[in-house]
C-alpha cells in the first residue's frame, strides 16, 4: 500500500531501515524546492506492513520530474526482495502513483537495473551511462598514468577548498559550452550557492603559480561512502597539460583517505568524456530515466483496444 507521509514521519520510517541517501537529506530537498519552485511529496510503499519502496516526488500539481540533472531521483527499493516480489511491488507502486499524477519522470539510481515493471506499466525507458571509480583500485590506463606523472612535475598544486566566486565561475562556463539554457544555468548556480556551506559539498581545484587552472565540484555522501562529481572544467585551450587527470588522481586519493569507497563520475554518454573517464579504469554502469504520461498511455490503450477488436472481427470471416 502506498502512503503519503510528513517529512518527519518519512525520515523516522526510513532511518529504521537504512541510512538516508544524500539526495534525501532535508537541506538538499529544501534547496531544490526553493530554487526550482517545486513541492515534495514523501511516499512509502509497504508490503505486509514492511516498507519496501520509498520515493520523494518532486514536482508541481499533477507532475513529477527531476529538477536538476546531477541528482538521481530519491527512489529506493529494498534490495533483499526476490525477483517476483520486486516486480510485483514495483508494479503495484507504479499503479498507485500514476493514479495520483498525470506525468511522472524518475531518474533511477544505479541500484535499480530491472526496468521491466516500468515497461509493463506504460512507462518509456531511456538508457544512459555513467562511470564509477572504485577507490580501492588506484590504477589508470598507461597513457593516463604517464600524463599524471608528467603533469605532477610541472608545479601544479591541487587542493580541496570551499566554493568561491572563482571556482564557481570556472565550472559554470562548462554549462555554457554545453549549450545549457541560460535559465537552467541560473538555477544550477543558485542551487550550488544554497548548499555550498554544507560538509557534503566540496570543491577540488588545481592551481599554477597561484592561478586557478581547473576545478571540480562534488557532493559527498558520507553515510553511504559515495562521492558524486557534479561539474569539472579547466581554462581553455592554452592549458595543454593533462590537469584533469592530475586533479582526478588527487581527489581519488583524498576521498579514499577520508573513508569513501567509490566515486560516481556522473556521465558516460558523450564520446569524448566517456573516453577520458574510461582511462581512469572506472567501471561503466547503466542507469535509466523512466517517464509516464497519462494522456499518451490512454491513447496507447485506445489503439490497442481497437487493434484487438479488429483482430476479433477479422477472425470471424
Amino acid at each position: 500500500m502506498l502512503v503519503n507521509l510528513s517529512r518527519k514521519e518519512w525520515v523516522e520510517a526510513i532511518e529504521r531501515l537504512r541510512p538516508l541517501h544524500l539526495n534525501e537529506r532535508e537541506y538538499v530537498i529544501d534547496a531544490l524546492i526553493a530554487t526550482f519552485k517545486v513541492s515534495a511529496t514523501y511516499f512509502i510503499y509497504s508490503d505486509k506492513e514492511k516498507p519496501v519502496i520509498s520515493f520523494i516526488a518532486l514536482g508541481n500539481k499533477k507532475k513529477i520530474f527531476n529538477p536538476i540533472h546531477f541528482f538521481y531521483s530519491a527512489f529506493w527499493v529494498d534490495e533483499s526482495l526476490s525477483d517476483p516480489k520486486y516486480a510485483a511491488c514495483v508494479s503495484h507502486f507504479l499503479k498507485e502513483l500514476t493514479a495520483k499524477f498525470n506525468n511522472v519522470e524518475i531518474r533511477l539510481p544505479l541500484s535499480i537495473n530491472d526496468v521491466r515493471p516500468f515497461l509493463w506499466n506504460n512507462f518509456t525507458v531511456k538508457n544512459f551511462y555513467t562511470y564509477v571509480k572504485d577507490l580501492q583500485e588506484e590504477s589508470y590506463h598507461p597513457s593516463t598514468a604517464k600524463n599524471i606523472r608528467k603533469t605532477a612535475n610541472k608545479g601544479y598544486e591541487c587542493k580541496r577548498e570551499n566554493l568561491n566566486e572563482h571556482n564557481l565561475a570556472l565550472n559554470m562556463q562548462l554549462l555554457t559550452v554545453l549549450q545549457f539554457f541560460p535559465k537552467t544555468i541560473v538555477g544550477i548556480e543558485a542551487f550550488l550557492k544554497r548548499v555550498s556551506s554544507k560538509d557534503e559539498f566540496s570543491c577540488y581545484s588545481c592551481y599554477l603559480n597561484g592561478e586557478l587552472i581547473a576545478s571540480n565540484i562534488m557532493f559527498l555522501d558520507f553515510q553511504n561512502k559515495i562521492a558524486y562529481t557534479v561539474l569539472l572544467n579547466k581554462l581553455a585551450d592554452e592549458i595543454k597539460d593533462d590537469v584533469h587527470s592530475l586533479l582526478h588522481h588527487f581527489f581519488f586519493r583524498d576521498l579514499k583517505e577520508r573513508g569513501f569507497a567509490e566515486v560516481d563520475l556522473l556521465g558516460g554518454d558523450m564520446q569524448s568524456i566517456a573516453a577520458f573517464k574510461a582511462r581512469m579504469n572506472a567501471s561503466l554502469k547503466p542507469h535509466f530515466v523512466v517517464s509516464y504520461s497519462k494522456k499518451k498511455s490512454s491513447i496507447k490503450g485506445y489503439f490497442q483496444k481497437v487493434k484487438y477488436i479488429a483482430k476479433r472481427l477479422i477472425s470471424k470471416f
Side-chain angles (χ1 to χ4, degrees):
M1 182 177 68
L2 184 65
V3 294
N4 178 1
L5 302 177
S6 69
R7 168 73 192 180
K8 181 180 179 182
E9 293 170 329
W10 190 91
V11 170
E12 289 175 351
I14 294 303
E15 288 186 330
R16 287 194 291 267
L17 298 171
R18 58 171 176 81
L20 290 178
H21 296 133
L22 176 66
N23 58 353
E24 298 170 333
R25 299 289 298 274
E26 185 171 9
Y27 80 87
V28 173
I29 300 300
D30 286 346
L32 290 170
I33 290 172
T35 303
F36 299 102
K37 311 305 179 187
V38 295
S39 60
T41 307
Y42 296 86
F43 289 115
I44 286 182
Y45 178 87
S46 297
D47 179 60
K48 297 179 180 178
E49 300 185 355
K50 177 189 176 183
V52 293
I53 299 174
S54 66
F55 182 40
I56 302 177
L58 297 172
N60 48 54
K61 296 182 180 178
K62 290 286 188 177
K63 185 177 182 179
I64 296 172
F65 57 91
N66 205 36
I68 201 162
H69 74 281
F70 49 72
F71 277 133
Y72 301 109
S73 297
F75 181 77
W76 168 84
V77 180
D78 185 349
E79 294 183 13
S80 70
L81 295 178
S82 66
D83 180 77
K85 180 62 74 174
Y86 166 86
C89 288
V90 174
S91 287
H92 291 153
F93 164 81
L94 294 175
K95 283 181 171 61
E96 294 194 50
L97 186 70
T98 53
K100 300 175 182 292
F101 294 91
N102 295 332
N103 294 278
V104 177
E105 179 189 84
I106 306 175
R107 187 179 181 88
L108 297 176
L110 296 184
S111 58
I112 307 297
N113 50 42
D114 182 356
V115 295
R116 292 173 302 164
F118 298 92
L119 294 170
W120 296 337
N121 285 276
N122 294 323
F123 277 70
T124 60
V125 176
K126 292 183 179 179
N127 188 189
F128 296 91
Y129 291 92
T130 188
Y131 281 92
V132 177
K133 176 66 176 179
D134 182 349
L135 295 179
Q136 301 307 308
E137 298 182 7
E138 187 178 290
S139 63
Y140 310 105
H141 186 276
S143 64
T144 296
K146 179 181 178 181
N147 287 342
I148 291 172
R149 292 192 299 269
K150 182 179 178 181
T151 307
N153 294 324
K154 293 190 175 184
Y156 291 98
E157 178 191 8
C158 295
K159 62 181 180 180
R160 173 166 29 106
E161 62 183 5
N162 295 325
L163 186 73
N164 57 54
E165 61 177 313
H166 303 294
N167 55 36
L168 176 61
L170 180 58
N171 279 285
M172 288 296 102
Q173 288 173 15
L174 177 64
L175 300 181
T176 301
V177 172
L178 295 176
Q179 298 183 332
F180 277 58
F181 291 117
K183 183 179 179 180
T184 302
I185 296 175
V186 170
I188 290 173
E189 182 172 349
F191 174 79
L192 294 176
K193 287 179 178 178
R194 276 194 166 96
V195 300
S196 62
S197 65
K198 301 298 182 179
D199 291 339
E200 292 90 350
F201 184 92
S202 190
C203 296
Y204 288 90
S205 298
C206 184
Y207 291 83
L208 181 64
N209 299 324
E211 181 184 7
L212 178 64
I213 302 299
S215 183
N216 172 270
I217 295 176
M218 304 191 76
F219 281 109
L220 311 177
D221 189 336
F222 287 95
Q223 287 188 299
N224 296 286
K225 303 185 185 304
I226 304 172
Y228 299 89
T229 59
V230 177
L231 291 168
L232 174 67
N233 198 23
K234 71 171 184 177
L235 291 181
D237 295 336
E238 63 264 24
I239 303 299
K240 301 299 183 183
D241 298 321
D242 192 359
V243 292
H244 276 338
S245 292
L246 180 66
L247 188 56
H248 276 71
H249 178 62
F250 175 80
F251 68 66
F252 286 159
R253 282 190 166 183
D254 183 73
L255 290 167
K256 180 181 178 181
E257 290 173 1
R258 298 169 71 190
F260 286 86
E262 59 186 26
V263 180
D264 187 338
L265 299 175
L266 285 184
D269 297 291
M270 295 177 62
Q271 188 172 4
S272 58
I273 294 176
F276 170 80
K277 293 178 179 180
R279 289 194 292 271
M280 293 288 117
N281 283 359
S283 299
L284 183 66
K285 304 284 187 180
H287 68 94
F288 306 93
V289 175
V290 295
S291 304
Y292 171 85
S293 165
K294 185 166 291 184
K295 182 178 179 180
K296 290 181 180 179
S297 180
S298 297
I299 293 172
K300 181 180 178 181
Y302 170 78
F303 281 108
Q304 286 178 337
K305 186 175 181 180
V306 170
K307 184 178 179 180
Y308 172 77
I309 293 173
K311 284 184 176 180
R312 290 290 302 271
L313 290 173
I314 292 171
S315 68
K316 293 182 178 180
F317 293 96

